[in-house]
Amino acid sequence: MTTAESSTDVLPGLTNERHPDIFNLKARPKVTEKKPGQLPEHMIKQFFEDGYVIVKDFFTKEELEPCKKAIERFVDQLAHKLYNAGKIDELYSGYGFFERLTKIENDFPGANIVLHKYGVLPQAFKDLWTNERLLNVVEQLIGPDIAGHPVWNLRTKTPQNEATTVPWHQDTAYLDRNSYTVLQPTAWIPLLDVNADNGCMQVAHRGHNTGKVARHQCCYGKTWYVMLEEEEMAKTLEVDLDKDIVTCPVPYGGMLLLNNMIPHRSLPNMSKQIRWSLDFRWQTPDHSAGFYGMKDHLLFRTSKDPDHTIDWTGFDGDDRWSKQKDSVKDLQDVLPNAEDADFDTTIQGPWMKKWDLVHHNQHTAKLTDGKQLSWHAPTKA
């Protein structure tokens, strides 16, 4: 269903503010100490000037394989849960890391969303997120005081699946306006070689330089994603659509570092394998995470205590998906309690309150119960 909703009210996500110096080369911290893993001068400069940088051959097999094993355990747990509930025909245990979830998805559409929502942070993910060499790179971007951002993701990109094809957006479009004034770099880490065929990322080169958050909309197709129209990218972010769109293939063992203001998207996965990836974020601990007060960041490193120990208590087991759903209850008459809550294939979150709702689907349906579609006063089409 598509509507043309409009309002004379200012959207909560919109602001006329510009903060370019928070995200461009002027924000680069001065790092003099040499540490393992640090990137060369030209790569750090590219991150700030272009808004992204591809880092090849950074992680070892020994650092990434535990993450793949943890995901295999997740998929196995999901298969048994669905099978025991009579929702899939078999366990598909004969299929490997890059095929099994697809087989499960064929029996139970939306299985990839259920897995995406697991929110469990296994030790292998923690180890990668706080990898010493990786944090040394992050220090080159934001300085010696480093906090882990509460939004991290396991991406379950099954082949030719709209729910795993993320449209153009700025990461700040999903967070509250406190995030508009803090640099939150992301490491996007694929668990196989990625290219245009199996769904690598595209970025809008230097689209972060205005320091502005453009007007987004919600929701894309049959998903929960916000979307940024290319015309808006050109108008507000000064993106040259003919010259600035860059495809970013990344080999296994590499990563794509992203500025949180740069527009980016993932291409569809047209291969026969699942394109697994992880994304982690960091920021300085003296700023808000911009996560609507639902969850704070976690201190990873501090210049005040070189022997700081990370306390994961209350962070790794906290279900942000339930909190996101709770955060939009004020838009609902009644939040339906799914008969099978463990198998709910919809996602709701506070970003849906920030932007015009222009497409409605199974995700936004739980916001409305047939009545108010957004906190403006929309009309149905």
Side-chain angles (χ1 to χ4, degrees), residues 58-84:
F58 186 84
F59 299 105
T60 66
K61 180 179 179 180
E62 290 72 24
E63 289 168 333
L64 294 180
E65 288 298 311
C67 294
K68 294 170 69 174
K69 294 295 183 184
I71 295 168
E72 286 180 333
R73 290 192 291 271
F74 286 167
V75 174
D76 191 59
Q77 292 167 6
L78 175 63
H80 278 86
K81 182 177 285 189
L82 290 168
Y83 181 76
N84 292 337

Side-chain angles (χ1 to χ4, degrees), residues 164-197:
T164 62
T165 303
V166 183
W168 285 116
H169 68 284
Q170 296 167 283
D171 281 350
T172 43
Y174 285 95
L175 301 174
D176 70 37
R177 284 171 55 168
N178 290 314
S179 69
Y180 295 9
T181 55
V182 56
L183 178 60
Q184 297 169 329
T186 295
W188 182 79
I189 306 168
L191 298 177
L192 74 167
D193 293 341
V194 294
N195 51 48
D197 182 59

